[in-house]
Amino acid sequence: VHHLLSQRSREQRGSRIRELLKLTERPDMLSLAGGLPAADRFPSEIITDAFERAMLHRGPTGPQALQYAPTEGVGMLRERLAAEADCSVDSTLITTGSQQGLDLLARVLCDPGDVVITEDPSYLGALQAFRFAGARVVGVPGDSDGLDTEALATLLAGGARPKFVYVCSNFGNPTGATLSSARRRHVLDLAERYGFLVVEDDPYGALRFAGQAPQSMFAPGRPVVRLRSASKVLAPGLRVGWMTGPATIVTAAGLAKQATDLHTSSLNQLIVMEAFADPRFADHVTSNAAVYAERAGALSAALRRSFGDRVEFTEPQGGMFIWARLLSIDTSALLESALDGGVAFVPGSAFAVEDESDHTDRLRLSFATLTPTLLQAAAERLARAAAVTLV
Ligand SMILES: Cc1ncc(COP(=O)(O)O)c(C=O)c1O
């Protein structure tokens, strides 16, 4: 039946690294590989109470949470999110996670062959969504200040005409980098000048524990769509995200969403609305960030202890990841001995946009899910595996 698959489906590739990472489910494995938030930090009480209140919302003939809802989202939540973003309700769409936002945008903006520009390395789920829509994804390098906008300007001056430029604005995946204020202004200038849209993906902004947050690029009237998510501040299992952007684009995304899933779970939208309104929510976000800070500090210190000057990375100020460089080590080769030694990570080449031989000395390490003691043990296992790989 393979011949029945569409051309586009046949072009999608699984990855060897994903296959290898299935081994991370072994019970003795210390995994730094996941992109998962800390499960011991889920605000279960806030969510349970929110569920009870969600069930009390009445529709005309029964509980609203159990009925179909408008595609654009449950009115009260949509209004709240629009007010928070200081934009109109027409400019706001509730999505099934921000991942769905990426998929919808790619589908409504891209014809096959259209160019999309992203930082290289980039979030795999975004690359998948853009490629599935038939886009040609072009990478631009980045550094600790995020996407290098001078390199972007050079690409544009050389004739590149993207439909949109994708940036993970705060604590990018995998780099952990935050796009600086100056570069945000530069991207906006370039967008106005060359007529492309900026897709600002921001699931990690609330996980800041140090430094100052630059302003979002989104504001009404600007060519920017911002994607947000309840996944990292509440729980990803709820699958609730939202986008704000120019009404024409948000309306088109809403039409595409009708064909995809009719609407995001009414029950989960009401749970998120009630959880956001819970007076304990702000404290949860603050204490969450403090736990992430402790874990980031523990992994940073453990890496320096175990690797000394053979490791390089920027100290995280938030998010979930350290994007480390191990000098003279091919991290794809390291993965196999690391898994044998009971520690998992994602090798840098997995995030390469154009060429899998890029980022081979890099690895993405998540500090979110393990305690400081286990992070220390994981770093030690990694160093032992690296010693084997060097020989
Ligand atoms: C950069 C980035 N964008 C979007 C997502 C999707 O998140 P969700 O669909 O849970 O909102 C993730 C998930 O890890 C991510 O890292």
Side-chain angles (χ1 to χ4, degrees), residues 26-100:
R26 258 177 31 203
D28 59 329
M29 187 69 70
L30 294 179
S31 181
L32 305 169
L36 314 177
D40 58 337
R41 294 294 311 153
F42 290 150
S44 299
E45 254 181 56
I46 293 180
I47 292 175
T48 308
D49 293 352
F51 166 77
E52 286 190 1
R53 289 198 302 279
M55 288 299 289
L56 298 178
H57 287 268
R58 301 301 293 177
T61 53
Q64 188 188 357
L66 304 184
Q67 188 54 284
Y68 285 116
T71 300
E72 293 76 15
V74 166
M76 283 178 297
L77 177 61
R78 201 172 164 221
E79 281 160 22
R80 185 200 156 114
L81 297 171
E84 209 177 85
D86 205 11
C87 68
S88 72
V89 171
D90 291 349
S91 294
T92 310
L93 173 70
I94 295 174
T95 56
T96 301
S98 51
Q99 182 64 35
Q100 184 179 54

Side-chain angles (χ1 to χ4, degrees), residues 35-37 95-102 123-126 166 168 170-174 201-204 227-232 235-237 239-242 320-321 364:
L36 314 177
T95 56
T96 301
S98 51
Q99 182 64 35
Q100 184 179 54
L102 294 169
Y123 166 53
L124 285 175
Y166 168 71
C168 188
N170 295 308
F171 314 120
N173 179 359
D201 189 13
D202 185 13
Y204 297 109
L227 302 176
R228 312 271 318 272
S229 175
S231 291
K232 308 302 189 301
R239 308 307 306 130
V240 175
W242 61 100
M320 303 192 335
F321 304 116
R364 189 193 75 178

Side-chain angles (χ1 to χ4, degrees), residues 129-253:
F130 303 161
R131 290 190 179 130
F132 217 94
R136 189 161 71 78
V137 186
V138 175
V140 167
D143 56 28
S144 56
D145 278 339
L147 180 138
D148 176 351
T149 52
E150 288 301 334
L152 173 63
T154 305
L155 205 62
L156 294 164
R161 291 294 173 267
K163 276 289 177 69
F164 63 89
V165 171
Y166 168 71
V167 283
C168 188
S169 50
N170 295 308
F171 314 120
N173 179 359
T175 64
T178 291
L179 192 68
S180 68
S181 296
R183 287 188 180 177
R184 286 175 196 227
R185 282 192 296 277
H186 196 188
V187 174
L188 286 172
D189 287 348
L190 293 169
E192 299 281 2
R193 180 156 161 214
Y194 289 97
F196 59 80
L197 187 77
V198 179
V199 174
E200 177 185 0
D201 189 13
D202 185 13
Y204 297 109
L207 300 183
R208 174 175 289 281
F209 45 75
Q212 283 288 319
Q215 277 211 327
S216 164
M217 285 177 279
F218 171 76
R222 286 187 189 160
V224 178
V225 175
R226 185 176 188 210
L227 302 176
R228 312 271 318 272
S229 175
S231 291
K232 308 302 189 301
V233 287
L234 284 173
L238 292 166
R239 308 307 306 130
V240 175
W242 61 100
M243 70 167 73
T244 51
T248 310
I249 288 168
V250 172
T251 303

